[in-house]
Amino acid sequence: YTISYSPLSGCVTAFRSMAGRYPSSFGVSGTLLNGNSVLYDRISRSLWSQILAVSIEGPLRGKRLQRIPVLWATWKGVKERFGGLNTPYTGKAEVLSRSTGFKRTYGKDPYGSYTTPGTYYDDARLPFPVSYLDTRLPPKKAVLGIEADSAFGAVQKDAVKEAGVLNFTLGIVPMAAFYDREIEAIRIFDRRMPGIAEPLDFVIFEDKLLDQQTRSEWTPGGKSVYGPLRDRTLTQVLAVDSMWFAWASLYRGSKIFPYNDF
């Protein structure tokens, strides 16, 4: 697998390390497309848009990468949840080593910090041009980009964190975004459940995540742990962490959830 992060656009993606039909590793080309990193594969030397997961130049132009889900979470929460065998989860999490053979200061972000005011991440400046700037949201607003039914959407992360859950529909697909407070991560799920006539609607009640149709209790990971739907699971929707300007410049006309006038 390949996991990539574009600091200028706040974009995190993960995908199977396949360049067309061939296994390959990927690198950063050093060029940008609308402020987002452009990758290359070491088999064909084709160029790939990180956020689109599509080759934009080279022998594999037009080919797509097979994305896999990845979460933006806190180290503290992940360590507590997956740090030992005495957790309700299956075993320990593997952590990437910083001993990569390259001399890099992996603990320092050259653009500042997401947690410290006055850095690149909390102002409106864009040091590189974009082909289209959608002003419905501040350019560096943190969103989760999604695709469904030939439609594009962007879920505002801070709104989900504040509410705990967000119900919405993109195209014809009813979805819900759940906030996992322990690891400070957001997942998006399809609200349809086989055997239930209508999409589930989720609410937070007395600090519990419930669906209004059956009053079953759910985890932020999309599994019911109590009630009529116990042990049933929701289908996760693949979402891409990104700053708004980068997502909107390439997925034009994206619907915003929740939408507010700015």
Side-chain angles (χ1 to χ4, degrees):
Y1 302 100
T2 295
I3 301 172
S4 68
Y5 170 59
S6 172
L8 284 170
S9 60
C11 185
V12 181
T13 59
F15 48 87
R16 292 180 60 85
S17 299
M18 298 289 293
R21 295 178 297 168
Y22 305 101
S24 178
S25 60
F26 288 75
V28 179
S29 70
T31 58
L32 299 169
L33 176 63
N34 285 344
N36 176 247
S37 297
V38 174
L39 311 178
Y40 69 93
D41 71 82
R42 293 186 172 93
I43 293 293
S44 74
R45 313 299 289 188
S46 297
L47 298 179
W48 302 78
S49 165
Q50 185 223 20
I51 196 169
L52 292 174
V54 171
S55 176
I56 56 175
E57 186 177 314
L60 298 179
R61 182 174 181 177
K63 296 292 185 181
R64 290 186 171 271
L65 299 169
Q66 183 182 343
R67 286 176 171 157
I68 59 174
V70 61
L71 289 177
W72 187 309
T74 61
W75 169 238
K76 178 180 182 293
V78 170
K79 184 169 64 172
E80 290 177 354
R81 178 173 292 181
F82 300 102
L85 297 175
N86 296 322
T87 68
Y89 298 87
T90 54
K92 294 185 178 181
E94 293 186 63
V95 180
L96 295 179
S97 171
R98 296 186 182 187
S99 300
T100 62
F102 295 92
K103 193 174 182 179
R104 291 269 189 166
T105 53
Y106 290 107
K108 184 178 180 181
D109 188 328
Y111 300 101
S113 170
Y114 280 92
T115 60
T116 303
T119 69
Y120 169 83
Y121 297 107
D122 69 351
D123 63 32
R125 62 191 172 96
L126 298 177
F128 298 97
V130 295
S131 60
Y132 172 72
L133 183 61
D134 192 322
T135 59
R136 288 179 294 164
L137 291 177
K140 294 176 184 175
K141 185 84 166 184
V143 301
L144 285 172
I146 48 177
E147 303 177 52
D149 189 37
S150 300
F152 309 122
V155 176
Q156 299 186 62
K157 294 181 66 173
D158 57 357
V160 179
K161 289 180 179 181
E162 183 177 351
V165 62
L166 176 68
N167 299 285
F168 61 96
T169 299
L170 178 61
I172 62 171
V173 182
M175 301 182 187
F178 297 166
Y179 180 51
D180 189 332
R181 297 188 183 279
E182 185 179 347
I183 62 174
E184 299 183 38
I186 297 171
R187 299 178 184 85
I188 298 177
F189 298 95
D190 190 322
R191 291 191 283 127
R192 294 173 293 189
M193 176 65 62
I196 306 295
E198 58 184 9
L200 298 175
D201 291 299
F202 294 91
V203 295
I204 301 293
F205 180 74
E206 294 183 348
D207 292 329
K208 295 180 180 179
L209 178 60
L210 307 177
D211 70 79
Q212 292 186 312
Q213 282 74 16
T214 72
R215 308 303 289 180
S216 297
E217 183 181 346
W218 298 79
T219 70
K223 182 177 181 178
S224 178
V225 292
Y226 182 79
L229 297 180
R230 182 176 179 178
D231 293 331
R232 300 285 292 275
T233 58
L234 298 167
T235 300
Q236 187 170 350
V237 175
L238 194 146
V240 177
D241 273 278
S242 177
M243 293 179 185
W244 167 246
F245 83 85
W247 178 264
S249 67
L250 295 172
Y251 293 91
R252 299 188 183 187
S254 289
K255 289 191 174 183
I256 298 171
F257 305 101
Y259 183 74
N260 301 300
D261 292 324
F262 291 87

